[in-house]
Amino acid sequence: MKQPTRTTNRLHFSDLDPLRFEDLCLNIVSRTDTFREINHFGRKGADLGVDIFAIQNLEGKEKIWFIQCKRFIRIGKADITDIVDKVAMNVALPDKLLVIVACDVSRNLHQYLKDYSSEKGISEVEIWTASVLEAKLYKDYKDLLFVYFGVRVEKKTQDNATRIKYSLRMKKRVEKELIDHEYLKKNRTPDLLSFKPYAKFITHKVFIRSVDDTSYPDSDETPDGKISPWFRTFFYDTYHNGIEFWLNVAMSTPIIMDEHGFWEPLSHDDKRRNSPKYKTFYAIQIGRIPYHHIVEILRDGDEYFSEPHLFCKFDIQEMPYEEIYYKTEGDPERKIPDWDLDKTLRTEFPDE
């Protein structure tokens, strides 16, 4: 049985076909500004670094945009150089270069794009990363979320009211059935839950099961990039919207961090762990399942596993989690709590 393999619940733009990714970019660009003209050259090949050509009317003046779409899993300095060099081969340079990529970009690489573009005579440049694309989709283009990723976003107030009422009922049930109130009464240490938040639960182990699963208790092979429809994990804490689970108890995740506090989670065989450029430490991975994704609780398990079973909806990119994040691993004996890593400083450093 495989444990969860995805590290975030983000949209996987890299799963799209390259031409489909271009189509998505075209849809977003065409809605972002008022353009007098938009041409999509990428599908025709030999585009000289111009997948999308657009003319924008701006205060009575025309502004030429060159837009390059790259469905990269990772992007490096050489890729940026190649993108700008191809654009610079055009007879007339654009007023603005927009680069859209399917991955995240480090601050240093972002700055290199601006500096190198300026050297080549391109004065204005912008880059949309995976996180920017996702923010635009969820905020302004929910219809495209469904068209390209099959993700439906609740729109109606009535649906939200129903969800809130259900969540409050499930929260009360979780507090009644899964929290060890007798233990908490006997252990009234004020800071107990600050250093051991998982101590509040009736047990550490728990089974997460998809409401759509029919394989349990057998272990079917899980396709790469997906999680098993049922698996064992560990309680960690509760939060305002649901329950948190400690996903990597057996093996913490290596983290590298630069001098500015930017960080990246790595696989255990990544050679960058030994680089003198980074500080390396380990973090715990926390998954959050909202109350409204919990359909049923089997407190005492079944004839196969006696730990609690939570039957959940796996409808966020085929996972039950609304968020997965990282915390530094503390030391309860030394009164050092776990500490959240700053999500805004997560990045991808270049390969070595």
Side-chain angles (χ1 to χ4, degrees):
M1 178 178 62
K2 292 189 176 181
Q3 291 294 317
T5 56
R6 292 188 182 181
T7 57
T8 69
N9 65 335
R10 299 175 61 183
L11 298 175
H12 283 222
F13 295 99
S14 58
D15 289 345
L16 296 174
D17 176 85
L19 294 179
R20 190 65 172 155
F21 179 70
E22 279 190 22
D23 291 340
L24 171 62
C25 296
L26 177 64
N27 266 287
I28 295 176
V29 167
S30 64
R31 300 184 188 191
T32 302
D33 288 277
T34 302
F35 292 104
R36 180 175 65 78
E37 179 182 340
I38 296 179
N39 291 295
H40 183 198
F41 299 126
R43 282 183 173 272
K44 300 176 182 179
D47 52 36
L48 284 180
V50 187
D51 290 325
I52 303 170
F53 172 89
I55 302 176
Q56 179 186 22
N57 285 321
L58 194 64
E59 298 179 353
K61 296 181 180 180
E62 288 189 346
K63 186 174 184 178
I64 305 299
W65 288 49
F66 284 5
I67 302 166
Q68 184 62 272
C69 312
K70 293 295 184 182
R71 195 218 57 176
F72 291 153
I73 297 176
R74 286 180 180 273
I75 189 169
K77 190 173 181 179
D79 300 309
I80 293 294
T81 302
D82 183 61
I83 290 172
V84 176
D85 283 345
K86 285 183 177 178
V87 170
M89 292 171 62
N90 287 270
V91 176
L93 295 180
D95 297 304
K96 181 168 184 175
L97 169 62
L98 172 61
V99 180
I100 308 177
V101 294
C103 59
D104 286 326
V105 176
S106 69
R107 184 174 63 173
N108 290 341
L109 199 59
H110 196 168
Q111 188 60 49
Y112 175 74
L113 170 63
K114 290 184 177 181
D115 293 342
Y116 191 64
S117 297
S118 179
E119 290 179 17
K120 293 293 184 177
I122 305 168
S123 59
E124 187 176 351
V125 64
E126 185 176 348
I127 188 165
W128 290 355
T129 63
S131 56
V132 172
L133 287 177
E134 183 169 304
K136 289 179 179 293
L137 288 170
Y138 275 102
K139 181 178 182 294
D140 299 317
Y141 313 125
K142 297 179 177 66
D143 59 323
L144 298 181
L145 267 177
F146 180 71
V147 171
Y148 287 88
F149 298 97
V151 175
R152 287 190 185 275
V153 179
E154 294 172 326
K155 296 180 180 179
K156 297 180 181 179
T157 302
Q158 184 177 359
D159 291 340
N160 289 333
T162 300
R163 174 177 56 79
I164 291 170
K165 290 178 181 178
Y166 179 88
S167 294
L168 292 174
R169 290 196 300 269
M170 182 55 68
K171 178 181 180 182
K172 290 180 179 179
R173 187 172 174 190
V174 166
E175 291 173 347
K176 179 181 179 181
E177 298 190 31
L178 299 179
I179 302 301
D180 192 339
H181 298 283
E182 289 299 319
Y183 175 82
L184 294 178
K185 288 179 182 178
K186 295 176 181 177
N187 296 269
R188 294 180 178 271
T189 308
D191 58 2
L192 171 67
L193 299 183
S194 297
F195 303 107
K196 295 182 179 181
Y198 40 82
K200 70 177 70 172
F201 293 97
I202 59 174
T203 179
H204 289 173
K205 299 175 183 178
V206 58
F207 279 84
I208 306 297
R209 295 174 58 179
S210 168
V211 293
D212 297 316
D213 176 52
T214 57
S215 66
Y216 180 88
D218 297 323
S219 299
D220 291 339
E221 186 68 21
T222 304
D224 290 341
K226 298 184 182 296
I227 66 173
S228 171
W230 67 272
F231 55 88
R232 186 183 71 182
T233 187
F234 298 82
F235 286 118
Y236 180 76
D237 202 353
T238 55
Y239 68 109
H240 71 281
N241 203 39
I243 307 175
E244 294 187 325
F245 301 87
W246 190 336
L247 304 183
N248 61 342
V249 170
M251 187 177 293
S252 298
T253 301
I255 302 290
I256 56 173
M257 179 180 287
D258 69 9
E259 59 181 342
H260 304 292
F262 287 87
W263 59 276
E264 179 183 357
L266 303 180
S267 61
H268 284 266
D269 59 354
D270 196 309
K271 295 179 180 179
R272 289 176 295 167
R273 293 172 57 192
N274 302 316
S275 172
K277 295 192 301 185
Y278 307 113
K279 173 185 176 183
T280 303
F281 55 93
Y282 288 89
I284 60 178
Q285 190 182 56
I286 305 296
R288 287 180 157 181
I289 298 182
Y291 290 121
H292 67 272
H293 273 201
I294 303 173
V295 175
E296 188 55 82
I297 299 173
L298 199 60
R299 183 185 188 277
D300 299 316
D302 58 15
E303 67 272 27
Y304 298 104
F305 303 102
S306 59
E307 295 87 357
H309 292 209
L310 301 186
F311 293 86
C312 302
K313 300 175 185 177
F314 280 44
D315 59 359
I316 304 178
Q317 290 187 243
E318 301 181 34
M319 297 190 296
Y321 310 113
E322 68 173 352
E323 180 185 8
I324 296 179
Y325 70 101
Y326 292 88
K327 302 173 78 80
T328 60
E329 192 168 0
D331 186 342
E333 302 305 320
R334 297 168 56 196
K335 304 289 186 172
I336 300 175
D338 302 334
W339 196 263
D340 291 8
L341 285 170
D342 189 337
K343 301 167 192 174
T344 65
L345 297 180
R346 179 172 174 172
T347 188
E348 289 189 8
F349 295 113
D351 292 328
E352 295 185 353

